Amino acid sequence: MDRPYTILSCAMSVDGRIDDTGPQRLRLSNEADFAEIDELRAECDAILVGAGTLRADDPRLLVRSPLLRRRRREQGRTENLLKAVITRSGRIDPQARLFSTGDAGAVVYTTGAGVETARRALERRPDDDPPADVVDAGDPPTAKAVLADLADRGVSRLLVEGGGHIHTLFLTSGLVDELRLAIAPFFVGEEDAPRFVLPGAFPHTPDTPMRLLEARALGEVAVLRYRLGEREER
């Protein structure tokens, strides 16, 4: 299948939590790591999150650095990435910053009645918002269908940024090429705190492990990079 080279990036605590249960977003990384993620975003064509991340964080998913945005323009690309969201229900906030910022538009991947639900929501956006499409990606939505549609849109390099349900969907599909983990030097220790992944049938087991590409420190944050398949980086 022709699909984008897919990188999954996540920051988490030592005990594998990607947030705590408090009202404010837990900071799991540092400025050096944020700068590297910004560079990684600038090298990709699209960025993807789940509806849970959209509701919890209201992310913009932009390239922060003016220098990196200028470099993208000089390459004949949009300043920012195409944004993608996966939602089974199609219930999205049309006022979310993801839909109102950037210059490359967005795609909502959903299923069944969720297609019409999402379309009605997006119709309530201001006319000058960036364009947004709605795509039926299977029941339930699959990583394979999402990647095939992104490939049709000219996306050759995709960055997946969470949350736990989306991490699990993509990692169990066997369609992730590279995994980047930033590990904060502390524990969250809360049973109900969101996890990096949920239980699932992952292709990488003790008998078929991932290949470690890199392990290094960014201040007190540990960065680990793994190769999950045999595809060459694009």
Side-chain angles (χ1 to χ4, degrees):
M1 179 184 71
D2 183 26
R3 63 171 179 84
Y5 183 88
T6 301
I7 304 167
L8 194 151
S9 173
C10 181
M12 65 183 186
S13 64
V14 171
D15 54 338
R17 305 295 173 154
I18 57 176
D19 202 354
D20 60 16
T21 57
Q24 303 299 320
R25 180 68 176 169
L26 177 65
R27 184 184 175 100
L28 288 158
S29 192
N30 55 28
E31 287 301 323
D33 184 56
F34 290 147
E36 286 199 2
I37 293 300
D38 204 36
E39 180 83 30
L40 183 58
R41 286 185 180 185
E43 293 170 351
C44 292
D45 304 304
I47 184 168
L48 181 146
V49 297
T53 297
L54 188 65
R55 289 189 289 267
D57 300 340
D58 192 19
R60 294 183 301 165
L61 303 183
L62 302 177
V63 176
R64 297 191 308 168
S65 165
L67 293 177
L68 293 175
R69 294 197 300 271
R70 185 176 70 185
R71 186 178 73 186
R72 287 176 61 90
R73 287 198 309 271
E74 292 170 349
Q75 294 169 342
R77 306 162 76 188
T78 54
E79 286 192 357
N80 289 284
L81 296 79
L82 176 69
K83 305 170 187 181
V85 180
I86 298 179
T87 166
R88 292 191 67 171
S89 68
R91 293 193 294 271
I92 52 174
D93 180 1
Q95 305 305 316
R97 296 188 298 176
L98 181 145
F99 297 115
S100 61
T101 58
D103 58 341
V107 188
V108 177
Y109 293 102
T110 184
T111 184
V115 173
E116 186 59 31
T117 300
R119 284 177 177 160
R120 287 198 303 267
L122 292 174
E123 287 173 356
R124 302 199 301 270
R125 299 183 310 138
D127 292 339
D128 58 353
D129 273 1
D133 294 335
V134 179
V135 174
D136 190 331
D139 187 13
T142 66
K144 181 178 180 180
V146 169
L147 292 173
D149 182 77
L150 289 172
D152 287 344
R153 295 172 186 272
V155 173
S156 63
R157 193 173 168 92
L158 170 68
L159 181 61
V160 177
E161 286 198 1
H165 286 280
I166 298 302
H167 297 158
T168 305
L169 173 67
F170 274 80
L171 289 170
T172 56
S173 75
L175 298 175
V176 174
D177 300 292
E178 186 176 323
L179 173 63
R180 184 190 188 277
L181 298 176
I183 302 175
F186 54 76
F187 299 83
V188 170
E190 298 176 355
E191 178 63 28
D192 295 331
R195 301 180 180 185
F196 165 50
V197 291
L198 306 179
F202 296 93
H204 297 92
T205 68
D207 294 327
T208 55
M210 302 178 293
R211 179 160 59 93
L212 182 65
L213 298 178
E214 183 180 26
R216 57 192 170 85
L218 280 178
E220 298 301 315
V221 172
V223 175
L224 305 176
R225 287 180 57 238
Y226 293 94
R227 178 82 71 207
L228 279 68
E230 301 302 322
R231 298 181 82 203
E232 293 297 323
E233 184 173 358
R234 294 187 183 183

